[in-house]
Each structure stands twice: as C-alpha cells, then as structure tokens.
Amino acid sequence: EDKANPHADLVGKTLCELARALSEELGAGSETGDRRDPKTVLKHVMPSLNKSVDRLGIHGRRETIESFVLLVTRDNPTLVQILMAPRHPAFLVLMRMLAESHDKAIVELILSFLDDKGAPSAILSVASKRSDLGFIRCLLEKIGDRPSPLLEHNLKRMGAVAWLAAGVEVIERLNDAEQHSAVKLAMLSRTARADAFSLIRQILTDGLPAGRVAASEALNEFNGAEANALTMAALGDPEPQVQA
C-alpha cells in the first residue's frame, strides 16, 4: 500500500499470484500431510485483505481487490458491504472484475449468490449482462432442468439477459441440456417477451431435442398468429414430447 515503495508493483503482482495459487488449492481440496490446510491459510489471509480492500480509496492498489475476489465467499461482510454501497471506493473496481474475469473462483462466486435469498441487485445485474460463453454455460448448468424455488426467485429478479436478445450464435453453440436451461432463463427473467419468443422460435425450429421440448412447453405463454403458426409447425417435429 506504500505508494513510494519502488517494489510496490512487484509486491502487487506477487500478491495476486499467491491468491490465485491459494484459490486453486481451495478448489482442488488440497490437504497434504506436510502442508497446512489451505482453509486454515485462508482464515489468516482474509482479515488482512478485508482491511486493505476497505482502504482502497487511500492506496489505490487494484491487486488487493483482485486477490480479495479470488478468495472471498458470498457471506463475507466486507464483500456484502461493497456490493450494497455503489459509492464505496472499491465498488466500481469490484464490479468490473466480476463482469470481466474468467477465473473459475470468481464465476463460482457470482453464481453462488443465486442461492441467496437476499442476493444484491449488483450481482444479478452482472449475471444478466455477461455474454461470454464460458459464463453462460456455467449459468445454464446451474439452472439445470428444474431450478430450485430460491434460484427461480433470483432469476425473476434479473433484468433482461443481454445475450438472449441476440443469441442466435450462442444458441447454436449450446448443447441439448443448455438449450433447455436457456428457455427456462428466458421465461423466468425479465427478458423482453419479443426476445424470449425469438429464442423459442429459434430453438423449436433448429434446436436439439431437450431444447425443443422446453420451447414447445414455453409456447403456452404466447398468443397470436406467429405463436399459432409455430405450434402447428411443431406438430410435425420428430420428437414425440414436442408433438404432445
């Protein structure tokens, strides 16, 4: 945090590398005989990171935020405080990392909030705006075939899902189960009805079997000539569940 220290950049880089290494150990469940349990190490590390993150407005070292996000859990008071306070010095830096990072630990942190009844709106905003395929696949895997009531509650709180509005290329790259979950997401979130219908039409016309089944079920929510025509066309689908 010492701006005058000539080694500050190197220390910051080292801090991030150590945090990433610890994050990987935690994810792998490492616990070998002659080494300390990574969970014990984390208990010693987090108090210092919490304090340094709170002092970001003074020292301006983004590395402390990056290291913090790699290791933090959703119930961390400092994290919750930042997410609920847009004027916090660390808010914008934190939000950018949540929006852009492909680190497994950070993606899992975002998705873990979907199981929290009081999930901050800032997190739901990030989840709805991310359009990178890796994150999309993780989100759809979490939704699965039958999302839990709590997960449904948070999906309903999400705004328009950015990639669903122009998701032709994305949908083509999703597997059977992911297309099924994409329909669930379109119908549960506050995605525009026109965009949701476009997604259903695409999947019902060119999608994989499980996706087409979910799309045919979702047609119940739509009226009008286009929905009627799509329903009639679905009667000729080779999948019996779609016909039904």
Side-chain angles (χ1 to χ4, degrees), residues 10-67:
L10 179 58
V11 173
K13 181 180 178 181
T14 303
L15 175 63
C16 289
E17 291 181 1
L18 287 170
R20 185 163 282 106
L22 179 55
S23 175
E24 290 172 358
E25 285 194 23
L26 289 163
S30 299
E31 198 168 343
T32 53
D34 60 343
R35 300 180 64 188
R36 293 178 65 184
D37 177 5
K39 292 181 181 179
T40 302
V41 176
L42 183 65
K43 289 180 181 179
H44 290 284
V45 168
M46 287 311 299
S48 296
L49 282 176
N50 289 336
K51 292 177 182 178
S52 193
V53 165
D54 267 337
R55 292 194 293 265
L56 183 69
I58 299 173
H59 59 75
R61 299 300 312 198
R62 292 171 56 92
E63 295 92 340
T64 60
I65 298 290
E66 183 175 345
S67 301

Short mmCIF file of all heavy atoms in Angstrom, two decimals, residues 10-67:
data_model
loop_
_atom_site.label_atom_id
_atom_site.label_comp_id
_atom_site.label_asym_id
_atom_site.label_seq_id
_atom_site.Cartn_x
_atom_site.Cartn_y
_atom_site.Cartn_z
N LEU A 10 5.77 -5.05 -8.01
CA LEU A 10 6.17 -6.45 -7.89
C LEU A 10 5.44 -7.13 -6.74
O LEU A 10 4.99 -8.28 -6.86
CB LEU A 10 7.68 -6.55 -7.69
CG LEU A 10 8.25 -7.97 -7.54
CD1 LEU A 10 7.92 -8.82 -8.77
CD2 LEU A 10 9.76 -7.92 -7.30
N VAL A 11 5.30 -6.42 -5.64
CA VAL A 11 4.58 -6.97 -4.48
C VAL A 11 3.11 -7.23 -4.85
O VAL A 11 2.53 -8.26 -4.52
CB VAL A 11 4.67 -6.03 -3.27
CG1 VAL A 11 3.78 -6.53 -2.14
CG2 VAL A 11 6.11 -5.92 -2.80
N GLY A 12 2.52 -6.28 -5.58
CA GLY A 12 1.13 -6.43 -6.01
C GLY A 12 0.96 -7.65 -6.91
O GLY A 12 0.02 -8.43 -6.74
N LYS A 13 1.89 -7.82 -7.86
CA LYS A 13 1.83 -8.98 -8.75
C LYS A 13 1.99 -10.28 -7.97
O LYS A 13 1.28 -11.26 -8.22
CB LYS A 13 2.94 -8.86 -9.81
CG LYS A 13 2.96 -10.00 -10.81
CD LYS A 13 4.09 -9.82 -11.83
CE LYS A 13 4.14 -11.01 -12.79
NZ LYS A 13 5.25 -10.85 -13.77
N THR A 14 2.90 -10.27 -7.02
CA THR A 14 3.14 -11.46 -6.20
C THR A 14 1.91 -11.80 -5.37
O THR A 14 1.53 -12.97 -5.23
CB THR A 14 4.34 -11.22 -5.27
OG1 THR A 14 5.48 -10.87 -6.06
CG2 THR A 14 4.66 -12.47 -4.46
N LEU A 15 1.27 -10.76 -4.82
CA LEU A 15 0.06 -10.97 -4.03
C LEU A 15 -1.02 -11.68 -4.86
O LEU A 15 -1.65 -12.64 -4.40
CB LEU A 15 -0.48 -9.63 -3.52
CG LEU A 15 -1.82 -9.67 -2.78
CD1 LEU A 15 -1.71 -10.49 -1.50
CD2 LEU A 15 -2.29 -8.25 -2.47
N CYS A 16 -1.21 -11.22 -6.10
CA CYS A 16 -2.22 -11.83 -6.97
C CYS A 16 -1.88 -13.28 -7.29
O CYS A 16 -2.76 -14.15 -7.30
CB CYS A 16 -2.34 -11.04 -8.27
SG CYS A 16 -3.13 -9.43 -8.07
N GLU A 17 -0.60 -13.56 -7.54
CA GLU A 17 -0.19 -14.92 -7.86
C GLU A 17 -0.38 -15.84 -6.65
O GLU A 17 -0.81 -17.00 -6.80
CB GLU A 17 1.27 -14.94 -8.32
CG GLU A 17 1.46 -14.28 -9.69
CD GLU A 17 2.91 -14.32 -10.16
OE1 GLU A 17 3.75 -14.88 -9.43
OE2 GLU A 17 3.18 -13.79 -11.24
N LEU A 18 -0.08 -15.35 -5.47
CA LEU A 18 -0.28 -16.15 -4.25
C LEU A 18 -1.77 -16.40 -4.02
O LEU A 18 -2.17 -17.52 -3.65
CB LEU A 18 0.32 -15.42 -3.05
CG LEU A 18 1.86 -15.40 -2.97
CD1 LEU A 18 2.31 -14.45 -1.87
CD2 LEU A 18 2.40 -16.80 -2.73
N ALA A 19 -2.59 -15.38 -4.23
CA ALA A 19 -4.03 -15.53 -4.05
C ALA A 19 -4.60 -16.54 -5.05
O ALA A 19 -5.43 -17.38 -4.69
CB ALA A 19 -4.74 -14.19 -4.20
N ARG A 20 -4.12 -16.47 -6.30
CA ARG A 20 -4.61 -17.41 -7.32
C ARG A 20 -4.19 -18.84 -6.98
O ARG A 20 -4.96 -19.79 -7.15
CB ARG A 20 -4.09 -17.00 -8.69
CG ARG A 20 -4.63 -17.85 -9.83
CD ARG A 20 -4.45 -17.20 -11.18
NE ARG A 20 -5.45 -16.16 -11.40
CZ ARG A 20 -5.19 -14.87 -11.35
NH1 ARG A 20 -3.99 -14.42 -11.09
NH2 ARG A 20 -6.16 -13.99 -11.57
N ALA A 21 -2.96 -19.00 -6.49
CA ALA A 21 -2.48 -20.33 -6.10
C ALA A 21 -3.30 -20.90 -4.94
O ALA A 21 -3.67 -22.08 -4.94
CB ALA A 21 -1.00 -20.26 -5.72
N LEU A 22 -3.59 -20.04 -3.96
CA LEU A 22 -4.40 -20.49 -2.83
C LEU A 22 -5.82 -20.83 -3.27
O LEU A 22 -6.41 -21.81 -2.83
CB LEU A 22 -4.42 -19.41 -1.74
CG LEU A 22 -5.25 -19.72 -0.48
CD1 LEU A 22 -4.80 -21.03 0.16
CD2 LEU A 22 -5.15 -18.57 0.52
N SER A 23 -6.36 -20.02 -4.18
CA SER A 23 -7.69 -20.28 -4.71
C SER A 23 -7.75 -21.64 -5.40
O SER A 23 -8.71 -22.40 -5.24
CB SER A 23 -8.08 -19.17 -5.70
OG SER A 23 -9.32 -19.45 -6.32
N GLU A 24 -6.72 -21.96 -6.17
CA GLU A 24 -6.66 -23.25 -6.87
C GLU A 24 -6.57 -24.40 -5.88
O GLU A 24 -7.18 -25.45 -6.06
CB GLU A 24 -5.49 -23.27 -7.84
CG GLU A 24 -5.69 -22.34 -9.04
CD GLU A 24 -4.45 -22.23 -9.91
OE1 GLU A 24 -3.42 -22.85 -9.54
OE2 GLU A 24 -4.51 -21.52 -10.93
N GLU A 25 -5.80 -24.21 -4.82
CA GLU A 25 -5.69 -25.25 -3.78
C GLU A 25 -7.03 -25.47 -3.09
O GLU A 25 -7.44 -26.60 -2.82
CB GLU A 25 -4.62 -24.88 -2.75
CG GLU A 25 -3.20 -25.07 -3.24
CD GLU A 25 -2.20 -25.02 -2.09
OE1 GLU A 25 -2.60 -25.28 -0.94
OE2 GLU A 25 -1.03 -24.72 -2.35
N LEU A 26 -7.71 -24.37 -2.81
CA LEU A 26 -9.03 -24.48 -2.17
C LEU A 26 -10.02 -25.21 -3.07
O LEU A 26 -10.81 -26.03 -2.63
CB LEU A 26 -9.56 -23.09 -1.82
CG LEU A 26 -8.85 -22.37 -0.68
CD1 LEU A 26 -9.17 -20.88 -0.72
CD2 LEU A 26 -9.26 -22.96 0.67
N GLY A 27 -9.96 -24.89 -4.37
CA GLY A 27 -10.85 -25.53 -5.32
C GLY A 27 -10.58 -27.01 -5.50
O GLY A 27 -11.48 -27.80 -5.75
N ALA A 28 -9.29 -27.38 -5.34
CA ALA A 28 -8.91 -28.78 -5.50
C ALA A 28 -9.04 -29.57 -4.22
O ALA A 28 -8.87 -30.79 -4.20
CB ALA A 28 -7.47 -28.86 -6.01
N GLY A 29 -9.31 -28.87 -3.11
CA GLY A 29 -9.42 -29.54 -1.82
C GLY A 29 -8.10 -30.07 -1.32
O GLY A 29 -8.03 -31.11 -0.68
N SER A 30 -6.99 -29.35 -1.62
CA SER A 30 -5.65 -29.82 -1.24
C SER A 30 -5.51 -29.89 0.27
O SER A 30 -5.91 -29.00 1.00
CB SER A 30 -4.59 -28.85 -1.79
OG SER A 30 -4.64 -28.81 -3.20
N GLU A 31 -4.95 -30.98 0.70
CA GLU A 31 -4.71 -31.15 2.13
C GLU A 31 -3.68 -32.27 2.30
O GLU A 31 -4.01 -33.40 2.64
CB GLU A 31 -6.01 -31.51 2.86
CG GLU A 31 -5.94 -31.25 4.36
CD GLU A 31 -7.30 -31.33 5.02
OE1 GLU A 31 -8.32 -31.26 4.33
OE2 GLU A 31 -7.32 -31.45 6.26
N THR A 32 -2.42 -31.95 2.03
CA THR A 32 -1.37 -32.96 2.13
C THR A 32 -0.72 -32.92 3.50
O THR A 32 -0.75 -31.90 4.19
CB THR A 32 -0.30 -32.72 1.05
OG1 THR A 32 0.15 -31.37 1.12
CG2 THR A 32 -0.89 -32.96 -0.34
N GLY A 33 -0.11 -34.03 3.88
CA GLY A 33 0.35 -34.22 5.25
C GLY A 33 1.30 -33.17 5.78
O GLY A 33 1.17 -32.72 6.91
N ASP A 34 2.30 -32.76 4.97
CA ASP A 34 3.33 -31.86 5.50
C ASP A 34 3.03 -30.39 5.18
O ASP A 34 3.88 -29.53 5.36
CB ASP A 34 4.70 -32.24 4.93
CG ASP A 34 4.74 -32.16 3.41
OD1 ASP A 34 3.66 -32.13 2.79
OD2 ASP A 34 5.85 -32.12 2.85
N ARG A 35 1.83 -30.10 4.69
CA ARG A 35 1.49 -28.71 4.36
C ARG A 35 0.25 -28.30 5.14
O ARG A 35 -0.58 -29.12 5.51
CB ARG A 35 1.22 -28.57 2.86
CG ARG A 35 2.42 -28.95 2.01
CD ARG A 35 2.09 -28.80 0.55
NE ARG A 35 1.81 -27.40 0.23
CZ ARG A 35 1.35 -27.01 -0.96
NH1 ARG A 35 1.11 -27.90 -1.89
NH2 ARG A 35 1.12 -25.74 -1.20
N ARG A 36 0.11 -27.01 5.33
CA ARG A 36 -1.04 -26.51 6.07
C ARG A 36 -2.30 -26.60 5.22
O ARG A 36 -2.27 -26.44 4.01
CB ARG A 36 -0.79 -25.06 6.47
CG ARG A 36 0.34 -24.91 7.49
CD ARG A 36 0.60 -23.46 7.82
NE ARG A 36 -0.55 -22.85 8.49
CZ ARG A 36 -0.61 -21.56 8.82
NH1 ARG A 36 0.39 -20.77 8.50
NH2 ARG A 36 -1.65 -21.07 9.44
N ASP A 37 -3.39 -26.85 5.86
CA ASP A 37 -4.68 -26.89 5.20
C ASP A 37 -4.94 -25.52 4.58
O ASP A 37 -4.88 -24.49 5.27
CB ASP A 37 -5.75 -27.23 6.25
CG ASP A 37 -7.16 -27.22 5.67
OD1 ASP A 37 -7.31 -27.05 4.46
OD2 ASP A 37 -8.11 -27.37 6.46
N PRO A 38 -5.27 -25.45 3.27
CA PRO A 38 -5.49 -24.15 2.64
C PRO A 38 -6.63 -23.36 3.29
O PRO A 38 -6.62 -22.13 3.27
CB PRO A 38 -5.82 -24.50 1.18
CG PRO A 38 -6.15 -25.95 1.18
CD PRO A 38 -5.36 -26.55 2.30
N LYS A 39 -7.61 -24.06 3.89
CA LYS A 39 -8.69 -23.36 4.58
C LYS A 39 -8.17 -22.61 5.81
O LYS A 39 -8.66 -21.53 6.15
CB LYS A 39 -9.79 -24.34 4.99
CG LYS A 39 -10.53 -24.94 3.81
CD LYS A 39 -11.61 -25.90 4.28
CE LYS A 39 -12.35 -26.51 3.08
NZ LYS A 39 -13.38 -27.47 3.51
N THR A 40 -7.16 -23.20 6.46
CA THR A 40 -6.54 -22.53 7.62
C THR A 40 -5.76 -21.32 7.15
O THR A 40 -5.80 -20.25 7.78
CB THR A 40 -5.61 -23.50 8.36
OG1 THR A 40 -6.36 -24.65 8.78
CG2 THR A 40 -5.00 -22.83 9.58
N VAL A 41 -5.06 -21.47 6.02
CA VAL A 41 -4.31 -20.33 5.46
C VAL A 41 -5.28 -19.20 5.12
O VAL A 41 -5.01 -18.03 5.40
CB VAL A 41 -3.54 -20.77 4.19
CG1 VAL A 41 -2.84 -19.57 3.56
CG2 VAL A 41 -2.53 -21.85 4.53
N LEU A 42 -6.41 -19.57 4.54
CA LEU A 42 -7.40 -18.56 4.15
C LEU A 42 -7.89 -17.75 5.35
O LEU A 42 -8.08 -16.54 5.26
CB LEU A 42 -8.59 -19.24 3.47
CG LEU A 42 -9.69 -18.32 2.95
CD1 LEU A 42 -9.17 -17.44 1.82
CD2 LEU A 42 -10.89 -19.14 2.47
N LYS A 43 -8.07 -18.42 6.49
CA LYS A 43 -8.53 -17.73 7.70
C LYS A 43 -7.54 -16.67 8.15
O LYS A 43 -7.92 -15.66 8.74
CB LYS A 43 -8.77 -18.75 8.82
CG LYS A 43 -9.98 -19.64 8.60
CD LYS A 43 -10.16 -20.62 9.75
CE LYS A 43 -11.36 -21.53 9.54
NZ LYS A 43 -11.51 -22.52 10.64
N HIS A 44 -6.25 -16.91 7.90
CA HIS A 44 -5.22 -15.93 8.27
C HIS A 44 -5.12 -14.80 7.24
O HIS A 44 -4.77 -13.67 7.58
CB HIS A 44 -3.86 -16.62 8.42
CG HIS A 44 -3.76 -17.52 9.61
ND1 HIS A 44 -3.60 -17.04 10.89
CD2 HIS A 44 -3.82 -18.86 9.71
CE1 HIS A 44 -3.56 -18.06 11.75
NE2 HIS A 44 -3.69 -19.18 11.05
N VAL A 45 -5.41 -15.14 5.98
CA VAL A 45 -5.23 -14.17 4.89
C VAL A 45 -6.37 -13.16 4.82
O VAL A 45 -6.14 -11.95 4.62
CB VAL A 45 -5.13 -14.94 3.54
CG1 VAL A 45 -5.23 -13.97 2.37
CG2 VAL A 45 -3.82 -15.71 3.48
N MET A 46 -7.62 -13.62 4.97
CA MET A 46 -8.77 -12.77 4.70
C MET A 46 -8.86 -11.51 5.57
O MET A 46 -9.23 -10.44 5.06
CB MET A 46 -10.07 -13.56 4.80
CG MET A 46 -10.30 -14.51 3.63
SD MET A 46 -10.08 -13.77 1.98
CE MET A 46 -11.33 -12.49 2.00
N PRO A 47 -8.57 -11.58 6.88
CA PRO A 47 -8.66 -10.34 7.66
C PRO A 47 -7.80 -9.21 7.10
O PRO A 47 -8.23 -8.05 7.07
CB PRO A 47 -8.19 -10.77 9.05
CG PRO A 47 -8.54 -12.22 9.13
CD PRO A 47 -8.28 -12.75 7.75
N SER A 48 -6.58 -9.55 6.65
CA SER A 48 -5.70 -8.52 6.07
C SER A 48 -6.26 -7.99 4.76
O SER A 48 -6.23 -6.79 4.48
CB SER A 48 -4.31 -9.10 5.84
OG SER A 48 -3.71 -9.46 7.07
N LEU A 49 -6.78 -8.90 3.92
CA LEU A 49 -7.35 -8.46 2.64
C LEU A 49 -8.58 -7.61 2.86
O LEU A 49 -8.79 -6.61 2.17
CB LEU A 49 -7.70 -9.67 1.78
CG LEU A 49 -6.53 -10.36 1.06
CD1 LEU A 49 -7.01 -11.60 0.31
CD2 LEU A 49 -5.85 -9.39 0.09
N ASN A 50 -9.41 -7.99 3.82
CA ASN A 50 -10.60 -7.19 4.13
C ASN A 50 -10.23 -5.74 4.45
O ASN A 50 -10.84 -4.79 3.94
CB ASN A 50 -11.37 -7.79 5.32
CG ASN A 50 -12.06 -9.09 4.98
OD1 ASN A 50 -12.37 -9.37 3.83
ND2 ASN A 50 -12.30 -9.91 5.99
N LYS A 51 -9.23 -5.59 5.31
CA LYS A 51 -8.80 -4.26 5.72
C LYS A 51 -8.20 -3.48 4.56
O LYS A 51 -8.46 -2.27 4.39
CB LYS A 51 -7.80 -4.36 6.87
CG LYS A 51 -8.39 -4.88 8.17
CD LYS A 51 -7.31 -5.03 9.24
CE LYS A 51 -7.90 -5.60 10.54
NZ LYS A 51 -6.84 -5.81 11.57
N SER A 52 -7.41 -4.16 3.73
CA SER A 52 -6.77 -3.47 2.62
C SER A 52 -7.78 -3.04 1.57
O SER A 52 -7.67 -1.96 0.98
CB SER A 52 -5.72 -4.39 1.98
OG SER A 52 -4.90 -3.65 1.10
N VAL A 53 -8.79 -3.86 1.34
CA VAL A 53 -9.85 -3.51 0.39
C VAL A 53 -10.60 -2.28 0.88
O VAL A 53 -10.93 -1.39 0.09
CB VAL A 53 -10.82 -4.71 0.20
CG1 VAL A 53 -12.10 -4.27 -0.49
CG2 VAL A 53 -10.14 -5.80 -0.62
N ASP A 54 -10.86 -2.21 2.16
CA ASP A 54 -11.55 -1.04 2.72
C ASP A 54 -10.72 0.23 2.59
O ASP A 54 -11.26 1.33 2.60
CB ASP A 54 -11.88 -1.28 4.20
CG ASP A 54 -13.28 -1.86 4.39
OD1 ASP A 54 -14.12 -1.67 3.49
OD2 ASP A 54 -13.53 -2.50 5.43
N ARG A 55 -9.40 0.07 2.47
CA ARG A 55 -8.51 1.24 2.34
C ARG A 55 -8.18 1.55 0.88
O ARG A 55 -7.27 2.35 0.60
CB ARG A 55 -7.21 0.99 3.11
CG ARG A 55 -7.36 0.92 4.62
CD ARG A 55 -6.02 1.02 5.33
NE ARG A 55 -5.18 -0.13 5.06
CZ ARG A 55 -5.09 -1.22 5.86
NH1 ARG A 55 -5.80 -1.27 6.97
NH2 ARG A 55 -4.30 -2.22 5.55
N LEU A 56 -8.91 0.95 -0.07
CA LEU A 56 -8.58 1.15 -1.48
C LEU A 56 -8.57 2.62 -1.87
O LEU A 56 -7.75 3.06 -2.67
CB LEU A 56 -9.58 0.39 -2.37
CG LEU A 56 -9.29 0.48 -3.87
CD1 LEU A 56 -8.02 -0.29 -4.23
CD2 LEU A 56 -10.46 -0.04 -4.70
N GLY A 57 -9.49 3.40 -1.31
CA GLY A 57 -9.54 4.82 -1.62
C GLY A 57 -8.27 5.56 -1.24
O GLY A 57 -7.99 6.63 -1.78
N ILE A 58 -7.49 4.99 -0.33
CA ILE A 58 -6.25 5.62 0.12
C ILE A 58 -5.06 5.18 -0.73
O ILE A 58 -4.27 5.99 -1.18
CB ILE A 58 -5.98 5.30 1.61
CG1 ILE A 58 -7.13 5.83 2.47
CG2 ILE A 58 -4.64 5.85 2.06
CD1 ILE A 58 -7.05 5.41 3.92
N HIS A 59 -4.94 3.85 -0.94
CA HIS A 59 -3.74 3.34 -1.62
C HIS A 59 -3.93 3.05 -3.11
O HIS A 59 -2.97 3.06 -3.87
CB HIS A 59 -3.19 2.10 -0.92
CG HIS A 59 -4.17 0.96 -0.85
ND1 HIS A 59 -4.48 0.18 -1.93
CD2 HIS A 59 -4.90 0.47 0.20
CE1 HIS A 59 -5.35 -0.76 -1.56
NE2 HIS A 59 -5.63 -0.60 -0.28
N GLY A 60 -5.16 2.78 -3.54
CA GLY A 60 -5.44 2.59 -4.96
C GLY A 60 -4.86 1.35 -5.60
O GLY A 60 -4.79 1.28 -6.83
N ARG A 61 -4.46 0.35 -4.83
CA ARG A 61 -3.86 -0.86 -5.40
C ARG A 61 -4.95 -1.86 -5.77
O ARG A 61 -5.56 -2.50 -4.91
CB ARG A 61 -2.89 -1.50 -4.41
CG ARG A 61 -1.71 -0.65 -3.99
CD ARG A 61 -0.80 -0.20 -5.10
NE ARG A 61 -0.39 -1.25 -6.03
CZ ARG A 61 0.67 -1.13 -6.84
NH1 ARG A 61 1.39 -0.02 -6.83
NH2 ARG A 61 0.96 -2.10 -7.67
N ARG A 62 -5.19 -2.01 -7.08
CA ARG A 62 -6.24 -2.92 -7.56
C ARG A 62 -5.93 -4.38 -7.23
O ARG A 62 -6.83 -5.20 -7.15
CB ARG A 62 -6.38 -2.77 -9.07
CG ARG A 62 -6.94 -1.44 -9.52
CD ARG A 62 -6.83 -1.31 -11.03
NE ARG A 62 -7.48 -2.40 -11.73
CZ ARG A 62 -8.74 -2.38 -12.15
NH1 ARG A 62 -9.47 -1.29 -11.93
NH2 ARG A 62 -9.25 -3.40 -12.78
N GLU A 63 -4.65 -4.67 -7.04
CA GLU A 63 -4.28 -6.06 -6.76
C GLU A 63 -4.93 -6.58 -5.48
O GLU A 63 -5.21 -7.78 -5.37
CB GLU A 63 -2.75 -6.20 -6.64
CG GLU A 63 -2.00 -5.90 -7.92
CD GLU A 63 -1.58 -4.44 -8.03
OE1 GLU A 63 -2.18 -3.59 -7.34
OE2 GLU A 63 -0.64 -4.15 -8.80
N THR A 64 -5.17 -5.69 -4.53
CA THR A 64 -5.81 -6.14 -3.29
C THR A 64 -7.25 -6.58 -3.58
O THR A 64 -7.72 -7.57 -3.01
CB THR A 64 -5.81 -5.02 -2.23
OG1 THR A 64 -6.53 -3.88 -2.72
CG2 THR A 64 -4.40 -4.60 -1.88
N ILE A 65 -7.93 -5.87 -4.49
CA ILE A 65 -9.29 -6.25 -4.86
C ILE A 65 -9.30 -7.57 -5.61
O ILE A 65 -10.12 -8.46 -5.36
CB ILE A 65 -9.94 -5.16 -5.74
CG1 ILE A 65 -10.04 -3.84 -4.98
CG2 ILE A 65 -11.34 -5.60 -6.19
CD1 ILE A 65 -11.03 -3.85 -3.87
N GLU A 66 -8.37 -7.72 -6.56
CA GLU A 66 -8.31 -8.95 -7.35
C GLU A 66 -8.05 -10.15 -6.45
O GLU A 66 -8.71 -11.20 -6.59
CB GLU A 66 -7.21 -8.85 -8.41
CG GLU A 66 -7.14 -10.07 -9.31
CD GLU A 66 -6.13 -9.92 -10.43
OE1 GLU A 66 -5.69 -8.79 -10.69
OE2 GLU A 66 -5.79 -10.94 -11.05
N SER A 67 -7.13 -10.01 -5.53
CA SER A 67 -6.82 -11.11 -4.61
C SER A 67 -8.02 -11.42 -3.71
O SER A 67 -8.34 -12.58 -3.44
CB SER A 67 -5.60 -10.75 -3.75
OG SER A 67 -4.49 -10.48 -4.58
#
